[in-house]
Amino acid sequence: MNRQTSTTMAPVSGGEATRRLLPFAMMVFLGYLTVGLPLAVLPVHVHDRLGFGPVMVGWVMASQSIATLLTRQFGGVVTDTRGPRPAVLIGMLLCSLAALVYGASVWGDCSPEIALVLLFVGRAVLGLGESLLITGALTWCIGMVGPRYAGRAMVWVGIAMFGAIGGGAPLGSVLLKQGGFGAMALAAAILPLMACLLMKGIEPLPLHCGRRLGFFKVVGLIWPYGTGLALSTIGFGTMFAFLGLDYAGHHWTGASLGLTSFGASYVAARLIFGGLPDQLGGLRVAQVTIPLQIVGLVILWLAPHPWIALAGCAILGAGYSLTFPALGVEAVRHLPPQNRGAAMGAYVAFVDIGLGLAGPLAGTVADRVGYPPVFLLGACASAVALAFVPRLPATQENI
Protein backbone atom coordinates (compact mmCIF):
# COMPACT_ATOMS: atom_id res chain seq x y z
CA MET A 1 0.00 0.00 0.00
CA ASN A 2 1.24 3.44 -0.80
CA ARG A 3 1.60 5.31 2.46
CA GLN A 4 1.79 9.03 1.94
CA THR A 5 3.06 11.49 4.46
CA SER A 6 0.28 13.55 5.90
CA THR A 7 -0.11 17.14 4.82
CA THR A 8 -1.13 19.96 7.05
CA MET A 9 -4.82 20.47 6.42
CA ALA A 10 -5.73 22.61 9.38
CA PRO A 11 -7.66 25.69 8.29
CA VAL A 12 -6.60 29.19 9.20
CA SER A 13 -9.91 30.10 10.80
CA GLY A 14 -12.94 28.63 12.48
CA GLY A 15 -15.07 29.74 9.57
CA GLU A 16 -12.98 27.72 7.14
CA ALA A 17 -13.19 24.73 9.49
CA THR A 18 -16.98 24.95 9.47
CA ARG A 19 -17.06 25.24 5.66
CA ARG A 20 -15.03 22.06 5.33
CA LEU A 21 -17.24 20.19 7.80
CA LEU A 22 -20.64 20.99 6.29
CA PRO A 23 -20.44 18.41 3.43
CA PHE A 24 -19.57 15.75 5.99
CA ALA A 25 -22.56 16.75 8.09
CA MET A 26 -24.93 16.32 5.17
CA MET A 27 -23.39 12.98 4.23
CA VAL A 28 -23.62 11.61 7.77
CA PHE A 29 -27.15 12.98 8.15
CA LEU A 30 -28.43 11.02 5.15
CA GLY A 31 -26.60 7.85 6.15
CA TYR A 32 -27.62 8.03 9.78
CA LEU A 33 -31.31 8.31 8.93
CA THR A 34 -31.12 4.52 8.68
CA VAL A 35 -30.62 4.60 12.44
CA GLY A 36 -33.15 7.36 13.11
CA LEU A 37 -36.12 6.19 11.06
CA PRO A 38 -36.81 2.96 13.04
CA LEU A 39 -36.22 4.40 16.52
CA ALA A 40 -39.77 5.48 17.30
CA VAL A 41 -41.48 2.57 15.54
CA LEU A 42 -39.24 -0.45 16.18
CA PRO A 43 -40.02 -0.81 19.93
CA VAL A 44 -43.76 -0.54 19.25
CA HIS A 45 -43.46 -2.94 16.27
CA VAL A 46 -41.72 -5.57 18.41
CA HIS A 47 -44.11 -5.10 21.33
CA ASP A 48 -47.47 -4.63 19.61
CA ARG A 49 -47.22 -6.37 16.24
CA LEU A 50 -44.84 -9.21 17.10
CA GLY A 51 -46.14 -9.59 20.64
CA PHE A 52 -42.91 -9.63 22.66
CA GLY A 53 -42.42 -8.07 26.10
CA PRO A 54 -40.32 -5.11 27.25
CA VAL A 55 -37.23 -7.21 28.02
CA MET A 56 -37.12 -8.40 24.41
CA VAL A 57 -37.71 -4.84 23.22
CA GLY A 58 -34.68 -3.81 25.24
CA TRP A 59 -32.53 -6.54 23.70
CA VAL A 60 -33.61 -5.67 20.16
CA MET A 61 -32.73 -2.02 20.70
CA ALA A 62 -29.45 -2.88 22.43
CA SER A 63 -28.34 -5.44 19.84
CA GLN A 64 -27.24 -2.77 17.38
CA SER A 65 -25.03 -1.13 19.99
CA ILE A 66 -23.58 -4.50 21.01
CA ALA A 67 -22.73 -5.26 17.37
CA THR A 68 -21.22 -1.81 16.93
CA LEU A 69 -19.13 -2.26 20.08
CA LEU A 70 -17.78 -5.59 18.87
CA THR A 71 -16.76 -4.08 15.52
CA ARG A 72 -15.25 -0.75 16.63
CA GLN A 73 -11.76 -2.26 16.51
CA PHE A 74 -12.37 -3.39 12.94
CA GLY A 75 -13.70 0.07 12.03
CA GLY A 76 -10.62 1.75 13.48
CA VAL A 77 -8.22 -0.61 11.70
CA VAL A 78 -9.95 -0.13 8.34
CA THR A 79 -9.92 3.63 8.80
CA ASP A 80 -6.25 3.83 9.77
CA THR A 81 -4.94 1.36 7.18
CA ARG A 82 -7.28 1.90 4.21
CA GLY A 83 -8.37 5.45 4.81
CA PRO A 84 -11.59 7.10 6.01
CA ARG A 85 -13.26 7.16 2.58
CA PRO A 86 -13.40 3.35 2.10
CA ALA A 87 -14.58 2.95 5.70
CA VAL A 88 -17.43 5.41 5.18
CA LEU A 89 -18.43 3.88 1.83
CA ILE A 90 -18.58 0.33 3.18
CA GLY A 91 -20.46 1.58 6.25
CA MET A 92 -23.09 3.28 4.09
CA LEU A 93 -23.65 0.14 2.01
CA LEU A 94 -24.03 -1.99 5.13
CA CYS A 95 -26.56 0.47 6.60
CA SER A 96 -28.59 0.13 3.40
CA LEU A 97 -28.38 -3.67 3.58
CA ALA A 98 -29.54 -3.63 7.22
CA ALA A 99 -32.69 -1.74 6.26
CA LEU A 100 -33.46 -4.32 3.57
CA VAL A 101 -33.17 -7.07 6.18
CA TYR A 102 -35.66 -5.14 8.33
CA GLY A 103 -37.99 -5.09 5.36
CA ALA A 104 -37.62 -8.81 4.80
CA SER A 105 -39.13 -9.39 8.25
CA VAL A 106 -42.46 -8.02 7.01
CA TRP A 107 -42.28 -8.50 3.23
CA GLY A 108 -42.20 -12.27 3.66
CA ASP A 109 -44.88 -14.31 5.38
CA CYS A 110 -42.84 -14.76 8.56
CA SER A 111 -43.84 -15.99 11.97
CA PRO A 112 -43.18 -13.55 14.82
CA GLU A 113 -40.15 -15.62 15.85
CA ILE A 114 -38.58 -15.53 12.36
CA ALA A 115 -39.38 -11.82 12.05
CA LEU A 116 -37.65 -11.23 15.37
CA VAL A 117 -34.55 -13.12 14.19
CA LEU A 118 -34.45 -10.99 11.03
CA LEU A 119 -34.68 -7.84 13.12
CA PHE A 120 -31.74 -9.01 15.21
CA VAL A 121 -29.76 -9.74 12.03
CA GLY A 122 -30.63 -6.32 10.64
CA ARG A 123 -29.56 -4.64 13.88
CA ALA A 124 -26.26 -6.53 13.81
CA VAL A 125 -25.54 -5.49 10.21
CA LEU A 126 -26.50 -1.92 11.05
CA GLY A 127 -24.14 -2.01 14.02
CA LEU A 128 -21.20 -2.91 11.76
CA GLY A 129 -22.24 -0.28 9.23
CA GLU A 130 -22.53 2.41 11.88
CA SER A 131 -19.12 1.48 13.27
CA LEU A 132 -17.42 2.01 9.91
CA LEU A 133 -19.50 5.07 8.99
CA ILE A 134 -19.01 7.08 12.18
CA THR A 135 -15.40 6.07 12.85
CA GLY A 136 -14.46 6.90 9.27
CA ALA A 137 -16.43 10.15 9.21
CA LEU A 138 -15.00 11.44 12.52
CA THR A 139 -11.44 10.59 11.47
CA TRP A 140 -11.97 12.18 8.05
CA CYS A 141 -13.40 15.35 9.62
CA ILE A 142 -10.60 15.78 12.15
CA GLY A 143 -8.03 15.16 9.42
CA MET A 144 -9.61 17.87 7.28
CA VAL A 145 -9.63 20.55 9.97
CA GLY A 146 -6.76 19.52 12.25
CA PRO A 147 -6.66 18.65 15.97
CA ARG A 148 -7.19 22.30 16.90
CA TYR A 149 -10.77 21.93 15.73
CA ALA A 150 -11.33 18.33 16.84
CA GLY A 151 -14.20 19.42 19.07
CA ARG A 152 -15.86 21.29 16.22
CA ALA A 153 -15.54 18.21 13.99
CA MET A 154 -17.27 16.09 16.64
CA VAL A 155 -19.92 18.78 17.04
CA TRP A 156 -20.88 18.75 13.36
CA VAL A 157 -20.87 14.98 13.04
CA GLY A 158 -23.04 14.87 16.15
CA ILE A 159 -25.40 17.49 14.72
CA ALA A 160 -25.82 15.28 11.67
CA MET A 161 -26.35 12.13 13.75
CA PHE A 162 -28.90 13.54 16.13
CA GLY A 163 -30.54 15.66 13.48
CA ALA A 164 -31.13 12.35 11.71
CA ILE A 165 -32.49 10.86 14.93
CA GLY A 166 -34.69 13.85 15.75
CA GLY A 167 -35.99 14.17 12.20
CA GLY A 168 -36.00 10.46 11.46
CA ALA A 169 -38.23 9.49 14.39
CA PRO A 170 -41.36 11.40 13.29
CA LEU A 171 -40.64 10.65 9.63
CA GLY A 172 -40.51 6.96 10.49
CA SER A 173 -43.85 7.26 12.25
CA VAL A 174 -45.38 8.92 9.18
CA LEU A 175 -44.01 6.21 6.89
CA LEU A 176 -45.36 3.55 9.23
CA LYS A 177 -48.85 5.06 9.09
CA GLN A 178 -48.80 5.60 5.33
CA GLY A 179 -47.14 2.43 4.10
CA GLY A 180 -46.33 0.20 7.06
CA PHE A 181 -43.06 -1.02 8.50
CA GLY A 182 -41.88 -2.12 5.05
CA ALA A 183 -42.15 1.43 3.65
CA MET A 184 -40.00 2.72 6.49
CA ALA A 185 -37.42 -0.01 5.78
CA LEU A 186 -37.32 0.82 2.05
CA ALA A 187 -36.74 4.52 2.75
CA ALA A 188 -33.99 3.63 5.21
CA ALA A 189 -32.31 1.51 2.52
CA ILE A 190 -32.33 4.28 -0.12
CA LEU A 191 -31.01 7.17 1.97
CA PRO A 192 -27.47 5.82 2.59
CA LEU A 193 -27.09 5.26 -1.15
CA MET A 194 -27.91 8.93 -1.68
CA ALA A 195 -25.24 9.81 0.89
CA CYS A 196 -22.64 7.88 -1.12
CA LEU A 197 -23.12 10.33 -3.99
CA LEU A 198 -21.95 13.20 -1.77
CA MET A 199 -18.61 11.50 -1.18
CA LYS A 200 -17.49 12.31 -4.72
CA GLY A 201 -17.08 15.99 -3.87
CA ILE A 202 -15.07 15.49 -0.65
CA GLU A 203 -11.28 15.39 -0.77
CA PRO A 204 -9.75 12.11 0.47
CA LEU A 205 -7.07 12.14 3.15
CA PRO A 206 -3.54 10.79 2.69
CA LEU A 207 -2.58 7.97 5.01
CA HIS A 208 -0.31 8.79 7.93
CA CYS A 209 3.08 7.15 8.34
CA GLY A 210 4.39 6.11 11.72
CA ARG A 211 4.03 3.31 14.22
CA ARG A 212 0.45 2.43 15.05
CA LEU A 213 -0.51 1.42 18.55
CA GLY A 214 -2.61 -1.65 19.11
CA PHE A 215 -6.32 -1.05 19.56
CA PHE A 216 -6.34 -2.13 23.19
CA LYS A 217 -3.34 0.09 23.91
CA VAL A 218 -5.40 2.95 22.53
CA VAL A 219 -8.32 1.91 24.75
CA GLY A 220 -5.96 1.95 27.73
CA LEU A 221 -5.05 5.57 27.02
CA ILE A 222 -8.58 6.92 26.62
CA TRP A 223 -10.69 4.68 28.86
CA PRO A 224 -11.20 7.27 31.66
CA TYR A 225 -12.94 9.63 29.24
CA GLY A 226 -14.82 6.76 27.64
CA THR A 227 -16.13 5.57 31.00
CA GLY A 228 -17.64 8.97 31.70
CA LEU A 229 -19.19 8.91 28.24
CA ALA A 230 -20.63 5.41 28.71
CA LEU A 231 -22.27 6.33 32.01
CA SER A 232 -23.72 9.48 30.47
CA THR A 233 -25.04 7.51 27.52
CA ILE A 234 -27.11 5.12 29.64
CA GLY A 235 -29.70 7.84 30.30
CA PHE A 236 -29.87 8.75 26.63
CA GLY A 237 -30.32 5.06 25.79
CA THR A 238 -33.18 4.56 28.24
CA MET A 239 -35.04 7.47 26.69
CA PHE A 240 -34.70 6.21 23.14
CA ALA A 241 -35.56 2.62 23.96
CA PHE A 242 -38.57 3.23 26.20
CA LEU A 243 -40.00 6.70 25.61
CA GLY A 244 -42.59 5.36 23.17
CA LEU A 245 -43.74 2.62 25.53
CA ASP A 246 -43.79 5.07 28.45
CA TYR A 247 -46.08 7.36 26.46
CA ALA A 248 -48.30 4.41 25.58
CA GLY A 249 -48.42 3.34 29.22
CA HIS A 250 -49.65 6.83 30.18
CA HIS A 251 -52.12 6.80 27.25
CA TRP A 252 -50.31 9.82 25.78
CA THR A 253 -49.73 10.50 22.10
CA GLY A 254 -46.77 12.12 20.38
CA ALA A 255 -43.82 10.05 21.59
CA SER A 256 -42.02 10.81 18.33
CA LEU A 257 -42.22 14.49 19.27
CA GLY A 258 -40.16 13.66 22.34
CA LEU A 259 -37.40 12.34 20.10
CA THR A 260 -37.75 15.43 17.93
CA SER A 261 -37.54 17.64 21.02
CA PHE A 262 -34.37 15.85 22.06
CA GLY A 263 -32.87 16.16 18.58
CA ALA A 264 -33.79 19.83 18.13
CA SER A 265 -32.35 20.76 21.51
CA TYR A 266 -29.27 18.68 20.83
CA VAL A 267 -28.62 20.42 17.50
CA ALA A 268 -29.37 23.88 18.88
CA ALA A 269 -26.95 23.43 21.79
CA ARG A 270 -24.21 22.36 19.42
CA LEU A 271 -24.82 25.23 17.03
CA ILE A 272 -24.76 27.80 19.83
CA PHE A 273 -22.17 26.36 22.21
CA GLY A 274 -20.26 23.91 20.00
CA GLY A 275 -16.99 25.84 20.22
CA LEU A 276 -16.77 25.70 24.00
CA PRO A 277 -14.95 22.33 24.34
CA ASP A 278 -12.11 23.62 22.13
CA GLN A 279 -12.07 27.01 23.87
CA LEU A 280 -12.59 26.16 27.55
CA GLY A 281 -11.46 22.56 27.78
CA GLY A 282 -13.64 19.50 27.71
CA LEU A 283 -13.75 18.74 31.41
CA ARG A 284 -15.06 22.18 32.37
CA VAL A 285 -17.84 21.83 29.83
CA ALA A 286 -18.76 18.31 30.95
CA GLN A 287 -19.20 19.49 34.55
CA VAL A 288 -22.07 21.66 33.28
CA THR A 289 -23.63 19.40 30.67
CA ILE A 290 -23.91 16.21 32.72
CA PRO A 291 -26.04 17.88 35.43
CA LEU A 292 -28.41 19.01 32.66
CA GLN A 293 -28.78 15.37 31.62
CA ILE A 294 -29.67 14.42 35.20
CA VAL A 295 -32.32 17.15 35.39
CA GLY A 296 -33.87 16.07 32.09
CA LEU A 297 -34.05 12.43 33.13
CA VAL A 298 -35.58 13.24 36.52
CA ILE A 299 -38.25 15.30 34.74
CA LEU A 300 -39.01 12.33 32.48
CA TRP A 301 -39.28 10.07 35.51
CA LEU A 302 -41.74 12.33 37.31
CA ALA A 303 -43.58 13.90 34.35
CA PRO A 304 -47.38 14.05 34.95
CA HIS A 305 -48.16 15.43 31.49
CA PRO A 306 -46.73 14.83 28.00
CA TRP A 307 -45.63 18.45 27.54
CA ILE A 308 -43.52 18.18 30.70
CA ALA A 309 -41.98 14.99 29.31
CA LEU A 310 -41.15 16.92 26.13
CA ALA A 311 -39.35 19.50 28.27
CA GLY A 312 -37.37 16.70 29.91
CA CYS A 313 -36.37 15.36 26.50
CA ALA A 314 -35.21 18.83 25.44
CA ILE A 315 -33.13 19.36 28.59
CA LEU A 316 -31.59 15.90 28.22
CA GLY A 317 -30.74 16.69 24.60
CA ALA A 318 -29.07 19.99 25.51
CA GLY A 319 -26.98 18.27 28.17
CA TYR A 320 -25.95 15.20 26.22
CA SER A 321 -25.21 17.33 23.16
CA LEU A 322 -21.86 18.65 24.37
CA THR A 323 -20.86 15.79 26.66
CA PHE A 324 -19.62 13.73 23.72
CA PRO A 325 -17.27 16.39 22.23
CA ALA A 326 -16.31 17.67 25.67
CA LEU A 327 -14.84 14.33 26.75
CA GLY A 328 -13.79 13.50 23.18
CA VAL A 329 -11.45 16.45 22.70
CA GLU A 330 -9.59 15.32 25.82
CA ALA A 331 -9.39 11.73 24.62
CA VAL A 332 -8.21 12.38 21.05
CA ARG A 333 -5.34 14.64 22.13
CA HIS A 334 -3.63 11.70 23.82
CA LEU A 335 -2.87 9.99 20.50
CA PRO A 336 -0.92 10.79 17.30
CA PRO A 337 -2.62 11.17 13.87
CA GLN A 338 -1.79 7.66 12.66
CA ASN A 339 -3.90 6.29 15.51
CA ARG A 340 -6.79 8.70 15.11
CA GLY A 341 -9.11 6.12 13.58
CA ALA A 342 -8.43 3.70 16.42
CA ALA A 343 -8.89 6.53 18.92
CA MET A 344 -12.26 7.49 17.46
CA GLY A 345 -13.31 3.85 17.21
CA ALA A 346 -12.35 3.20 20.81
CA TYR A 347 -13.93 6.39 22.13
CA VAL A 348 -17.24 5.93 20.31
CA ALA A 349 -17.25 2.30 21.49
CA PHE A 350 -18.05 3.62 24.95
CA VAL A 351 -21.30 5.01 23.54
CA ASP A 352 -22.07 1.46 22.43
CA ILE A 353 -21.25 0.16 25.90
CA GLY A 354 -23.65 2.66 27.44
CA LEU A 355 -26.42 1.86 24.95
CA GLY A 356 -25.76 -1.87 25.22
CA LEU A 357 -26.19 -1.70 29.00
CA ALA A 358 -29.18 0.65 28.82
CA GLY A 359 -31.51 -1.64 26.87
CA PRO A 360 -31.35 -4.82 28.99
CA LEU A 361 -31.05 -2.98 32.32
CA ALA A 362 -33.93 -0.64 31.56
CA GLY A 363 -35.98 -3.53 30.15
CA THR A 364 -35.56 -5.45 33.38
CA VAL A 365 -36.53 -2.40 35.44
CA ALA A 366 -39.57 -1.74 33.23
CA ASP A 367 -40.68 -5.37 33.46
CA ARG A 368 -40.66 -5.22 37.26
CA VAL A 369 -41.70 -1.70 38.23
CA GLY A 370 -42.97 0.00 35.05
CA TYR A 371 -41.58 2.42 32.52
CA PRO A 372 -41.01 5.74 34.39
CA PRO A 373 -38.32 4.32 36.73
CA VAL A 374 -36.09 3.49 33.74
CA PHE A 375 -35.38 7.23 33.48
CA LEU A 376 -34.38 7.32 37.14
CA LEU A 377 -31.90 4.53 36.31
CA GLY A 378 -30.42 6.77 33.62
CA ALA A 379 -30.24 9.74 36.00
CA CYS A 380 -28.32 7.65 38.53
CA ALA A 381 -25.83 6.56 35.87
CA SER A 382 -25.28 10.20 34.85
CA ALA A 383 -24.77 11.13 38.51
CA VAL A 384 -21.98 8.55 38.71
CA ALA A 385 -20.46 10.06 35.56
CA LEU A 386 -20.59 13.52 37.14
CA ALA A 387 -18.71 12.23 40.18
CA PHE A 388 -16.15 10.56 37.88
CA VAL A 389 -15.36 13.53 35.61
CA PRO A 390 -13.40 15.75 38.07
CA ARG A 391 -10.90 12.91 38.51
CA LEU A 392 -10.02 12.82 34.81
CA PRO A 393 -6.67 14.25 33.65
CA ALA A 394 -7.08 17.36 31.49
CA THR A 395 -4.92 17.91 28.41
CA GLN A 396 -3.51 21.33 27.67
CA GLU A 397 -1.87 20.91 24.28
CA ASN A 398 -3.01 19.48 20.99
CA ILE A 399 -0.98 16.81 19.29
Side-chain angles (χ1 to χ4, degrees):
M1 182 185 301
N2 181 25
R3 295 184 180 275
Q4 304 174 48
T5 303
S6 64
T7 57
T8 300
M9 304 188 73
V12 296
S13 69
E16 173 65 12
T18 299
R19 186 192 67 79
R20 293 186 181 185
L21 292 170
L22 288 178
F24 289 99
M26 180 57 67
M27 179 182 68
V28 172
F29 173 77
L30 289 173
Y32 213 76
L33 278 170
T34 304
V35 177
L37 285 173
L39 273 177
V41 301
L42 191 56
V44 178
H45 177 72
V46 172
H47 187 273
D48 293 350
R49 176 167 177 170
L50 300 184
F52 294 97
V55 173
M56 188 58 69
V57 171
W59 278 109
V60 169
M61 299 307 290
S63 59
Q64 177 196 333
S65 298
I66 294 170
T68 308
L69 172 64
L70 295 176
T71 56
R72 286 294 184 194
Q73 179 181 8
F74 176 73
V77 170
V78 170
T79 300
D80 284 333
T81 60
R82 302 292 181 181
R85 182 193 285 267
V88 171
L89 177 60
I90 296 169
M92 292 287 191
L93 296 177
L94 286 171
C95 287
S96 181
L97 175 61
L100 292 177
V101 176
Y102 285 169
S105 71
V106 293
W107 293 329
D109 187 15
C110 300
S111 67
E113 291 75 18
I114 296 299
L116 184 69
V117 170
L118 286 172
L119 290 178
F120 272 116
V121 171
R123 299 293 282 174
V125 174
L126 183 60
L128 174 58
E130 183 192 354
S131 179
L132 288 161
L133 167 60
I134 299 304
T135 302
L138 282 169
T139 305
W140 203 348
C141 285
I142 294 173
M144 289 295 289
V145 301
R148 177 184 176 188
Y149 295 106
R152 186 169 304 198
M154 295 180 199
V155 161
W156 277 101
V157 170
I159 286 174
M161 291 170 60
F162 287 94
I165 289 173
L171 179 58
S173 296
V174 170
L175 290 169
L176 181 69
K177 291 178 181 178
Q178 297 297 322
F181 191 78
M184 182 279 298
L186 182 61
I190 293 172
L191 289 165
L193 302 181
M194 295 173 59
C196 291
L197 298 177
L198 294 177
M199 294 176 59
K200 295 181 179 180
I202 302 178
E203 182 182 357
L205 288 179
L207 293 174
H208 290 279
C209 298
R211 183 177 67 89
R212 290 186 170 86
L213 301 175
F215 183 79
F216 291 102
K217 176 66 173 178
V218 172
V219 172
L221 292 172
I222 70 164
W223 75 266
Y225 312 97
T227 299
L229 179 65
L231 289 166
S232 297
T233 301
I234 289 175
F236 154 64
T238 60
M239 188 205 73
F240 272 90
F242 289 98
L243 184 67
L245 294 175
D246 180 57
Y247 264 58
H250 283 97
H251 304 291
W252 297 340
T253 59
S256 62
L257 293 178
L259 301 181
T260 301
S261 175
F262 176 95
S265 177
Y266 183 102
V267 170
R270 287 205 167 189
L271 287 173
I272 298 169
F273 302 110
L276 292 183
D278 289 325
Q279 296 168 11
L280 302 179
L283 299 187
R284 292 177 64 186
V285 173
Q287 289 172 8
V288 175
T289 60
I290 295 176
L292 283 177
Q293 294 176 219
I294 297 171
V295 170
L297 287 161
V298 169
I299 290 173
L300 280 172
W301 169 42
L302 299 175
H305 302 289
W307 64 268
I308 295 179
L310 289 180
C313 291
I315 294 171
L316 175 60
Y320 189 72
S321 176
L322 294 182
T323 299
F324 181 94
L327 297 176
V329 295
E330 302 293 340
V332 76
R333 290 169 182 169
H334 282 75
L335 292 159
Q338 62 268 24
N339 289 104
R340 198 168 283 143
M344 285 293 91
Y347 179 66
V348 180
F350 284 94
V351 174
D352 307 321
I353 291 173
L355 292 176
L357 290 172
L361 288 176
T364 301
V365 170
D367 192 48
R368 295 185 178 182
V369 294
Y371 295 116
V374 303
F375 306 123
L376 176 61
L377 170 69
C380 292
S382 293
V384 176
L386 181 62
F388 188 74
V389 164
R391 295 172 173 79
L392 299 178
T395 55
Q396 301 298 326
E397 300 292 336
N398 292 330
I399 291 175

